[in-house]
C-alpha cells in the first residue's frame, strides 16, 4: 500500500512535507512543479487522500471508508477540477461548482482537499477566480496544484502557494525501481539512461513497442554508415519509414547530443547505443552531424521528399565517420 511516507521516499523536499503532515503543520496551498513523470501528481493525490483518511497507523491506510471513497472518486470533500469533455482548458465553469460548495459548510464535516492536475491548463480567468477562493479559504481546506510548467501559472497564484519543485529521480532509484518491477537488468539500465530522471517517462517507453522499433531502425540505418558506400543499404532500411521520420530523427538527435555532451564534459560516454566505430567520434564532427539532423527536420517541415532528405543526412554522416577511421 502506498503511504505518504513511502511516496516521499527519495526526496528530502517531499519528506519534509510528510513531516509537516505528521506534525499537523501543512500550508493551506501547494504548487507542485517539475518535469513530467517525477511523481508530482502521485504525491499530491496521496497527500490529499492522507488528509481525509480515518484509519490508524501510516496514512493513507487504503482500507477505511474514506480512502475507498477517495479512490472511487465519490468522496464529497475531495475535488478534482478538470476540463469539460472535448475541452483542453480548465475554465471558470469547471471551478464554479467546487467554489460554490467551498463557500458552504461541508455536509459531513472534516477537511476538504482540492487537487488540480495540469494546473497550467487553467485559463487566466479561471486562475483569477481561483485566487479569491485561495485568499478566502477556511481552515481545514487544502489546495494542491500540479504543473509541468510553472510559468503558465499567474504570479498572483504562485505567491499564495508554497512552491515545491520536485526534482528528477536519481538514476539509482529509477534503476532499482525498474528491476524491482521485474525488468531485465539491461533494459532497466537503458530505460534509466533515457528517462532523464522521470520514472513516468521510463515506464511509458517500456510499453511503447513502436519506440523501440524506431530505435532499432536508427541503429540499423544511420549508425551503420562508415563511408559513402554504405548509404544505399542504409537507405533501404529507411525506404518505407516516411511516417516514422520525425521520431527517427528525434532519437538520432537525442543520442548524438548525449554522446557529444559526454565528450565535452570529459565524462565516460555510454556508447551502448552506438556501433564501435562511433567511439572515436570527436565533438566537431558530432556537431556537424547534429546540424545535419536539424536541417533534415526543417526540410521535412517544408515537404522535401523523405528519400532525398534522409540521403543528404546520410552523406554528412558518411563524410564525418570516414574521418574517425583514418
Amino acid at each position: 500500500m502506498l503511504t505518504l511516507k513511502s511516496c516521499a521516499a527519495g526526496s528530502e523536499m517531499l519528506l519534509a512535507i510528510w513531516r509537516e503532515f505528521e506534525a499537523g503543520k501543512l500550508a493551506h496551498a501547494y504548487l507542485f512543479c517539475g518535469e513530467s513523470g517525477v511523481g508530482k501528481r502521485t504525491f499530491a493525490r496521496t497527500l490529499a487522500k492522507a488528509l481525509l483518511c480515518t484509519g490508524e497507523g501510516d496514512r493513507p491506510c487504503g482500507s477505511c471508508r474514506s480512502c475507498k471513497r477517495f479512490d472511487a472518486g465519490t468522496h464529497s470533500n475531495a475535488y478534482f477540477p478538470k476540463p469539460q469533455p472535448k475541452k483542453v482548458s480548465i475554465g471558470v465553469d469547471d471551478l464554479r461548482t467546487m467554489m460554490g460548495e467551498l463557500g458552504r459548510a461541508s455536509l459531513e464535516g472534516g477537511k476538504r482537499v482540492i487537487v488540480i492536475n495540469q494546473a497550467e491548463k487553467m485559463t487566466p480567468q479561471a486562475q483569477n477566480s481561483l485566487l479569491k477562493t485561495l485568499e478566502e479559504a477556511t481552515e481545514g481546506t487544502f489546495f494542491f496544484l500540479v504543473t509541468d510548467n510553472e510559468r503558465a501559472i499567474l504570479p498572483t497564484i504562485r505567491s499564495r502557494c508554497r512552491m515545491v519543485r520536485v526534482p528528477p529521480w536519481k538514476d539509482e532509484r529509477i534503476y532499482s525501481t525498474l528491476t524491482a518491477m521485474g525488468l531485465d537488468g539491461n533494459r532497466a539500465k537503458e530505460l534509466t539512461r533515457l528517462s532523464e530522471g522521470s520514472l513516468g517517462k521510463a515506464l511509458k517507453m517500456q510499453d511503447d513497442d513502436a519506440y523501440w522499433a524506431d530505435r532499432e531502425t536508427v541503429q540499423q540505418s544511420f549508425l551503420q554508415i562508415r563511408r559513402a558506400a554504405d548509404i544505399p543499404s542504409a537507405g533501404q532500411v529507411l525506404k518505407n519509414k516516411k511516417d516514422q521520420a520525425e521520431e527517427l530523427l528525434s532519437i538520432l538527435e537525442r543520442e548524438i547530443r548525449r554522446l557529444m555532451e559526454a565528450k565535452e564534459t570529459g565524462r565516460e560516454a555510454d556508447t551502448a547505443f552506438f556501433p564501435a566505430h562511433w567511439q572515436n567520434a570527436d565533438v566537431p564532427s558530432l556537431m556537424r552531424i547534429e546540424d545535419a539532423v536539424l536541417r533534415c527536420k526543417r526540410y521535412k517541415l517544408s515537404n522535401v521528399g523523405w528519400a532525398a532528405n534522409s540521403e543528404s543526412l546520410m552523406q554528412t554522416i558518411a563524410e564525418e565517420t570516414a574521418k574517425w577511421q583514418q
Side-chain angles (χ1 to χ4, degrees):
M1 177 61 204
L2 184 65
T3 64
L4 187 60
K5 183 178 181 180
S6 64
C7 188
S11 169
E12 283 301 319
M13 182 172 292
L14 296 184
L15 283 171
I17 296 176
W18 167 73
R19 286 189 284 268
E20 291 172 359
F21 166 80
E22 289 287 292
K25 296 181 179 180
L26 285 177
H28 85 286
Y30 290 82
L31 176 59
F32 294 97
C33 313
E35 295 296 322
S36 175
V38 296
K40 307 181 302 297
R41 176 177 176 272
T42 298
F43 184 83
R45 283 184 60 89
T46 305
L47 179 56
K49 184 177 176 180
L51 281 165
L52 299 177
C53 176
T54 58
E56 300 293 333
D58 289 339
R59 290 180 288 170
C61 70
S63 56
C64 70
R65 182 170 178 267
S66 180
C67 283
K68 290 179 179 179
R69 290 172 63 202
F70 185 94
D71 290 337
T74 58
H75 201 299
S76 63
N77 281 2
Y79 305 87
F80 305 94
K82 59 183 179 180
Q84 294 292 324
K86 299 182 179 180
K87 299 289 186 179
V88 297
S89 299
I90 301 174
V92 174
D93 289 343
D94 301 315
L95 302 179
R96 186 162 288 136
T97 299
M98 174 201 76
M99 292 187 293
E101 292 186 6
L102 291 179
R104 299 187 293 269
S106 170
L107 293 176
E108 57 183 290
K111 300 180 179 67
R112 293 195 281 199
V113 296
I114 299 91
V115 181
I116 306 179
N117 190 42
Q118 295 183 307
E120 71 277 1
K121 289 188 174 182
M122 286 190 292
T123 64
Q125 294 82 0
Q127 292 190 49
N128 282 321
S129 179
L130 178 64
L131 179 62
K132 183 178 180 181
T133 306
L134 283 172
E135 293 173 334
E136 299 176 353
T138 58
E139 185 176 355
T141 299
F142 298 88
F143 296 83
F144 305 124
L145 282 62
V146 183
T147 182
D148 298 342
N149 181 14
E150 65 181 84
R151 289 177 296 179
I153 307 300
L154 294 177
T156 48
I157 295 287
R158 295 200 303 264
S159 68
R160 286 161 178 77
C161 296
R162 179 174 167 189
M163 298 281 289
V164 181
R165 293 185 174 88
V166 183
W169 286 31
K170 293 182 179 179
D171 285 354
E172 297 82 1
R173 187 182 177 197
I174 291 181
Y175 178 80
S176 62
T177 300
L178 293 174
T179 52
M181 294 171 62
L183 270 68
D184 170 79
N186 290 332
R187 174 55 68 88
K189 181 180 179 182
E190 180 75 350
L191 285 169
T192 298
R193 185 178 71 85
L194 296 170
S195 70
E196 299 177 327
S198 168
L199 179 64
K201 183 176 180 180
L203 295 175
K204 183 178 180 180
M205 287 189 295
Q206 163 63 13
D207 295 329
D208 189 350
D209 292 338
Y211 172 77
W212 293 99
D214 288 340
R215 285 180 66 82
E216 187 174 347
T217 296
V218 171
Q219 290 176 309
Q220 293 177 352
S221 56
F222 296 117
L223 300 190
Q224 292 301 320
I225 297 172
R226 300 170 68 98
R227 55 188 63 84
D230 297 327
I231 292 177
S233 59
Q236 283 298 311
V237 177
L238 296 169
K239 184 177 180 180
N240 297 316
K241 302 295 183 180
K242 178 181 177 181
D243 292 342
Q244 292 82 40
E246 184 67 30
E247 184 61 24
L248 296 176
L249 294 172
S250 294
I251 290 171
L252 180 60
E253 179 190 0
R254 285 194 297 267
E255 291 295 343
I256 288 175
R257 188 169 295 164
R258 287 192 181 101
L259 182 58
M260 184 165 55
E261 288 175 353
K263 289 180 176 292
E264 285 178 327
T265 58
R267 291 186 289 105
E268 182 179 353
D270 184 349
T271 56
F273 182 73
F274 293 91
H277 67 279
W278 281 77
Q279 296 179 19
N280 298 322
D282 56 72
V283 171
S285 283
L286 291 173
M287 290 178 66
R288 284 189 285 272
I289 293 173
E290 183 187 28
D291 287 343
V293 175
L294 296 174
R295 186 165 57 248
C296 190
K297 281 187 168 184
R298 290 196 300 271
Y299 287 166
K300 178 182 178 297
L301 293 174
S302 300
N303 294 319
V304 175
W306 172 236
N309 201 6
S310 59
E311 183 173 349
S312 175
L313 171 57
M314 289 187 284
Q315 289 283 0
T316 300
I317 294 174
E319 292 169 5
E320 299 303 327
T321 55
K323 299 173 184 177
W324 309 332
Q325 300 165 72
Q326 293 175 356

